[in-house]
Amino acid sequence: MNTLTAGAPAPNFSLLDQDGNTVTLQDFKGKKVLFYFYPKAMTPGCTVQAQGLRDVKAELDAHNVVVLGVSIDPVKRLGKFIERDELNFTLLSDEDHAVADQFGVWGEKKFTLGNFS
């Protein structure tokens, strides 16, 4: 897995949005991009996170920030998520997690338990 470091340029990407349109990093030249990954649309934690971004979108717009949410969900599920929660930003489908790999956020989930004895 790659690890993206602070200050490094974001990897180029080309993904489908919730409407099946191709979106690339170059589409946002001159803008700040808040690119966030979430595990699965319409799950409790991901819903709260998306709603929080939805609710501050006007403030983000004022700072020239574009929000892009990325998950391994198929395009069809992304559209349902936007409709159900009235999301006002773009969701991208990374079904093969290639972009998540480029950003260093794809990997086996690990839990660490402390020694409580």
Side-chain angles (χ1 to χ4, degrees), residues 24-101:
T24 67
L25 182 61
Q26 292 77 23
D27 296 337
F28 304 99
K29 190 171 181 140
K31 292 190 175 273
K32 298 170 191 156
V33 178
L34 190 161
F35 202 76
Y36 85 98
F37 292 87
Y38 61 97
K40 190 171 183 182
M42 297 186 278
T43 57
C46 297
T47 296
V48 168
Q49 183 180 35
Q51 290 171 343
L53 289 165
R54 174 199 66 199
D55 294 346
V56 298
K57 185 167 184 310
E59 186 176 342
L60 292 169
D61 288 346
H63 293 284
N64 201 30
V65 175
V66 175
V67 177
L68 300 174
V70 183
S71 74
I72 60 169
D73 291 303
V75 169
K76 186 176 178 180
R77 186 169 174 89
L78 299 178
K80 288 178 183 177
F81 191 24
I82 284 181
E83 185 178 326
R84 186 193 81 171
D85 291 280
E86 300 178 356
L87 301 180
N88 52 8
F89 55 88
T90 301
L91 298 179
L92 301 172
S93 176
D94 185 24
E95 286 189 85
D96 64 0
H97 59 80
V99 174
D101 283 336

Side-chain angles (χ1 to χ4, degrees), residues 94-115:
D94 185 24
E95 286 189 85
D96 64 0
H97 59 80
V99 174
D101 283 336
Q102 288 181 297
F103 277 79
V105 298
W106 183 261
E108 185 177 332
K109 188 183 254 187
K110 297 178 185 176
F111 292 98
T112 304
L113 297 177
N115 183 353

